[in-house]
């Protein structure tokens, strides 16, 4: 049956109304803007690459990190790969389940001179986040203040959030989380992790750890409208460029750079290419195999999606009809799934001998 624009919108609004009436969370695509969103401006002309922000992030958020059970259950079908970073917790040159912020160092030219641009990379915290809109279990949630948070107690690690994120930012750790209690071989594959911009600190009126410790005051956080104005003023002052204001329909992470972001992205691709080429050539030589240029291309393309976000132009993914339709279908399902898990968790806490109950010291 052919669905025209009018019938689609009528059905979509009916679904939205039903979901709203039931008290379930609607996808951001059909919600009114809260007007209270916080954004962060990162002035790349100031960053010296000291990685104080990386260390602070790891220290403050280590309470959220989880060690997997070993051996990690195999998934079925076997093409679903286990992702285990528990033996590589010290990796800080990319995003991982144990490292939610890293600093990318890129060598570029400006006015004919060599210039190193240091770029703190983490979640972009989109205004209309596909990760939150399209998570089938309601594990990802956008808050009124503009933060997108993944609830590790609900997430099954299916990686839908990573697939729909234009920057492939969420990272998976297998062997942890709810899926182990459901069907370890079939349900999900762990928990997805990413920056939640220290939402608990913000709730208490404190700054995110990375913002607080930076010795060069690279980051400025505040109401989005004010931050956007500051970003434009700073870009005008240094003859710079802005990224994040309109990407993916607008994000709450705003970069100001002294050089074009297209140039930064080219430098990033070249850097990744050099790293992967050295790895592939080393492996080929060790195995005594001939050179494989096609394999090298595939390896470079894959590495560009693995924990090192690009700076390409990004259109509004939630403006696509298929994503909006899916969001409206997913919203009530995700709401029910999240509600069921919360009920299960409450029952578990109330059960005699529950670890949560012991930790609460009776204050349930």
């Amino acid at each position: 049956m052919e669905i025209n624009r009018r019938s689609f919108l009528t059905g979509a609004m009916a679904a939205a109304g039903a979901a709203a009436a039931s008290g379930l969370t609607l996808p951001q695509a059909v919600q009114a803007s809260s007007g209270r969103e916080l954004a962060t401006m990162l002035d790349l002309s100031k960053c010296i690459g000291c990685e104080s922000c990386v260390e602070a992030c790891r220290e403050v958020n280590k309470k959220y990190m989880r060690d997997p059970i070993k051996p990690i259950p195999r998934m079925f079908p076997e093409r679903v790969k286990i992702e285990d970073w528990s033996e590589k917790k010290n990796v800080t040159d990319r995003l991982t389940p144990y490292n939610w912020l890293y600093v990318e160092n890129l060598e570029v030219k400006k006015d004919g001179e060599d210039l190193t641009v240091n770029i703190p990379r983490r979640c972009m915290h989109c205004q209309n986040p596909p990760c939150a809109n399209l998570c089938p279990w309601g594990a990802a949630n956008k808050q009124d203040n503009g933060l997108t948070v993944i609830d590790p107690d609900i997430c099954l690690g299916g990686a839908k959030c990573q697939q729909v994120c234009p920057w492939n930012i969420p990272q998976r750790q297998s062997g942890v989380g709810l899926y182990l209690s459901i069907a370890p071989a079939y349900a999900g594959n762990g928990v997805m992790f990413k920056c939640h911009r220290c939402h608990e600190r913000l709730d208490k009126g404190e700054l995110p750890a990375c913002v607080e410790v930076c010795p060069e005051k690279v980051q400025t956080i505040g109401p989005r409208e004010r931050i956007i104005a500051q970003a434009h003023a700073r870009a005008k002052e240094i003859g710079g460029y802005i990224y994040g204001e309109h990407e993916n329909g607008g994000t709450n992470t705003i970069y100001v750079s002294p050089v074009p972001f297209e140039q930064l992205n080219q430098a990033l691709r070249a850097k990744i290419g050099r790293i992967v080429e050295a790895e592939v050539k080393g492996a080929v030589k060790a195995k005594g195999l001939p050179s494989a240029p096609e394999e090298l291309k595939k390896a470079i393309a894959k590495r560009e999606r693995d924990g090192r976000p690009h700076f390409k132009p990004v259109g509004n993914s939630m403006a696509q009809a298929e994503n909006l339709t899916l969001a409206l279908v997913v919203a009530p399902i995700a709401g029910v799934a999240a509600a069921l898990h919360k009920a299960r968790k409450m029952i578990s806490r109330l059960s005699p001998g529950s670890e949560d109950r012991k930790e609460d010291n009776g204050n349930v």
Side-chain angles (χ1 to χ4, degrees):
M1 183 171 57
E2 184 177 347
I3 300 177
N4 60 30
R5 175 179 168 81
R6 183 175 179 179
S7 63
F8 165 74
L9 291 176
T10 301
M13 290 305 103
S22 67
L24 300 177
T25 301
L26 290 173
Q28 191 65 24
V30 291
Q31 289 186 50
S33 174
S34 69
R36 299 190 297 274
E37 296 188 8
L38 297 173
T40 307
M41 181 185 81
L42 295 95
D43 185 348
L44 302 184
S45 68
K46 294 181 178 180
C47 184
I48 60 175
C50 68
E51 298 193 353
S52 294
C53 55
V54 178
E55 294 174 12
C57 176
R58 291 170 70 92
E59 179 63 27
V60 167
N61 291 305
K62 64 183 179 182
K63 62 183 179 182
Y64 299 102
M65 310 305 179
R66 303 183 179 186
D67 290 320
I69 63 161
K70 295 289 184 80
I72 295 175
R74 286 193 159 298
M75 298 297 297
F76 181 86
E78 290 192 359
R79 69 173 180 272
V80 179
K81 301 300 182 183
I82 290 172
E83 296 183 62
D84 181 18
W85 286 86
S86 61
E87 303 299 326
K88 297 176 282 186
K89 292 181 181 178
N90 293 328
V91 170
T92 59
D93 63 351
R94 54 158 287 170
L95 300 176
T96 79
Y98 300 96
N99 193 67
W100 302 353
L101 165 66
Y102 84 102
V103 178
E104 188 74 70
N105 316 111
L106 297 177
E107 302 296 329
V108 296
K109 294 279 188 181
K110 180 176 172 59
D111 300 326
E113 300 290 333
D114 291 335
L115 175 67
T116 299
V117 181
N118 304 299
I119 313 168
R121 299 308 314 264
R122 55 165 173 73
C123 176
M124 297 293 288
H125 292 285
C126 301
Q127 288 196 290
N128 197 357
C131 61
N133 291 335
L134 302 175
C135 175
W137 309 113
N141 175 26
K142 182 187 173 185
Q143 301 181 350
D144 285 345
N145 62 5
L147 307 186
T148 303
V149 179
I150 297 175
D151 187 336
D153 291 330
I154 298 177
C155 181
L156 293 173
K160 180 68 174 178
C161 56
Q162 187 187 69
Q163 295 165 14
V164 300
C165 172
W167 296 276
N168 303 110
I169 285 173
Q171 301 292 310
R172 176 165 54 197
Q173 174 60 48
S174 301
V176 301
L178 181 62
Y179 89 109
L180 295 172
S181 303
I182 300 177
Y186 304 96
N189 193 359
V191 172
M192 306 302 295
F193 292 95
K194 72 171 191 66
C195 158
H196 51 52
R197 210 166 56 171
C198 293
H199 65 98
E200 292 182 345
R201 290 172 63 92
L202 283 174
D203 289 344
K204 295 186 291 186
E206 301 172 357
L207 289 173
C210 60
V211 178
E212 185 175 69
V213 303
C214 179
E216 302 299 319
K217 306 302 179 187
V218 170
Q219 300 192 58
T220 306
I221 188 170
R224 190 175 192 272
E225 185 176 341
R226 191 186 79 201
I227 291 298
I228 293 295
Q230 287 182 239
H232 279 276
R234 181 58 178 163
K236 184 177 180 180
E237 181 181 353
I238 65 173
Y241 305 82
I242 295 174
Y243 189 88
E245 180 180 6
H246 302 295
E247 278 67 28
N248 200 31
T251 79
N252 289 318
T253 299
I254 310 298
Y255 288 98
V256 178
S257 167
V259 298
F261 286 93
E262 180 182 1
Q263 187 178 348
L264 291 178
N265 198 61
Q266 290 173 352
L268 175 62
R269 285 179 59 87
K271 180 179 178 180
I272 291 173
R274 290 191 297 271
I275 294 171
V276 175
E277 184 174 10
E279 292 175 352
V280 171
K281 285 184 175 179
V284 167
K285 185 176 180 180
K287 295 179 181 179
L289 300 174
S291 176
E294 287 303 316
E295 291 302 314
L296 178 58
K297 287 182 181 178
K298 291 178 183 178
I300 291 174
K302 183 177 185 300
R303 184 66 64 87
E304 288 176 343
R305 297 192 301 271
D306 287 351
R308 304 188 78 169
H310 63 78
F311 272 120
K312 301 174 185 176
V314 176
N316 185 355
S317 61
M318 287 310 301
Q320 299 170 14
E322 61 269 25
N323 280 345
L324 178 57
T325 304
L326 182 57
L328 290 166
V329 172
V330 162
I333 300 172
V336 169
L340 287 173
H341 174 68
K342 289 177 182 177
R344 172 184 172 276
K345 188 176 180 182
M346 180 60 71
I347 292 171
S348 175
R349 292 178 66 200
L350 292 172
S351 300
S354 162
E355 289 300 317
D356 286 334
R357 188 180 181 93
K358 291 175 184 176
E359 290 176 5
D360 288 338
N361 294 318
N363 296 320
V364 179

